[in-house]
Amino acid sequence: MSLPHAILTALLEKPSSGLELTRRFDKSIGYFWSATHQQIYRELGKLEQAGHIRALPARSPARGQKKEYEVLPAGRAELTDWVARTEDPKPLRSALLLRMRAAAVVGAPGMADELSRHLDLHRGQLEEYLDIEARDFPPARRESEPDRLRHLVLRGGIDLERFWVEWLTHALAELER
């Protein structure tokens, strides 16, 4: 149920077309809530049908023009209600951890290579997050509550990537024993 709320959040930050939303997801929300182009367009249709968003009037009539969407009061109310709800943490689902468990049963050829590959990916993601933090969240830009909240989301990503780097480093050392 969170994809519509992610879209409402993005549209409240800036009215956008579906294509612009997809690009923005790739640069921000998509780091922790991914969605395909098709999923975003499908949800835009549902949100429009529910009266939560509307397509902005075109600036000039043209065939094939992108629709830009904005959030209506009902959409803002839905997002506000959703933010106020409580939600229990979801159990972790990791294909890598499941494959490691299966490898304990059927053997682990190539597991060290796969763990090394994941370690490289997590190191790369950590570097990207640290670059974003340095660029977008210097201490002076953390004065307002919205900026502190955005920074905390990024810090959560940084801390998760640090966890994976540390855990994968430990796992590889264990496999080498």
Side-chain angles (χ1 to χ4, degrees):
M1 177 85 170
S2 295
L3 179 56
H5 299 104
I7 291 171
L8 288 170
T9 299
L11 288 175
L12 280 168
E13 290 173 341
K14 179 181 181 222
S16 304
S17 69
L19 180 59
E20 289 166 334
L21 278 173
T22 301
R23 289 180 181 150
R24 289 176 53 216
F25 261 67
D26 289 344
K27 294 178 185 174
S28 62
I29 291 174
Y31 285 121
F32 55 90
W33 197 271
S34 63
T36 66
H37 192 79
Q38 294 85 359
Q39 289 172 315
I40 289 173
Y41 274 98
R42 191 170 39 247
E43 286 301 325
L44 284 170
K46 290 177 185 176
L47 287 166
E48 191 171 25
Q49 216 170 20
H52 292 162
I53 65 171
R54 73 174 178 121
L56 293 169
R59 293 187 181 106
S60 60
R63 277 183 50 137
Q65 187 172 3
K66 301 182 289 187
K67 282 189 203 176
E68 273 201 350
Y69 295 91
E70 70 175 354
V71 177
L72 296 171
R76 180 180 282 277
E78 168 57 31
L79 188 59
T80 301
D81 290 346
W82 181 74
V83 166
R85 292 180 203 148
T86 60
E87 185 175 312
D88 293 338
K90 301 285 186 248
L92 174 66
R93 291 179 63 173
S94 169
L96 178 63
L97 295 178
L98 181 58
R99 287 179 33 232
M100 288 178 71
R101 182 68 183 255
V105 176
V106 298
M111 187 54 65
D113 289 340
E114 181 65 355
L115 292 176
S116 292
R117 188 178 76 80
H118 276 256
L119 179 57
D120 289 343
L121 291 170
H122 284 287
R123 283 180 174 151
Q125 189 64 65
L126 176 59
E127 287 304 312
E128 187 173 344
Y129 285 164
L130 291 171
D131 289 345
I132 292 169
E133 182 180 44
R135 181 189 69 226
D136 296 343
F137 294 100
R141 280 240 13 241
R142 300 182 207 158
E143 295 301 317
S144 69
E145 184 176 10
D147 283 339
R148 286 193 302 272
L149 288 169
R150 287 183 194 100
H151 182 248
L152 285 169
V153 171
L154 178 61
R155 285 302 311 181
I158 290 168
D159 291 347
L160 282 172
E161 293 305 325
R162 284 187 172 143
F163 161 78
W164 281 111
V165 166
E166 181 180 334
W167 183 84
L168 287 160
T169 301
H170 174 76
L172 283 164
E174 281 293 309
L175 285 179
E176 289 177 9
R177 284 193 315 123

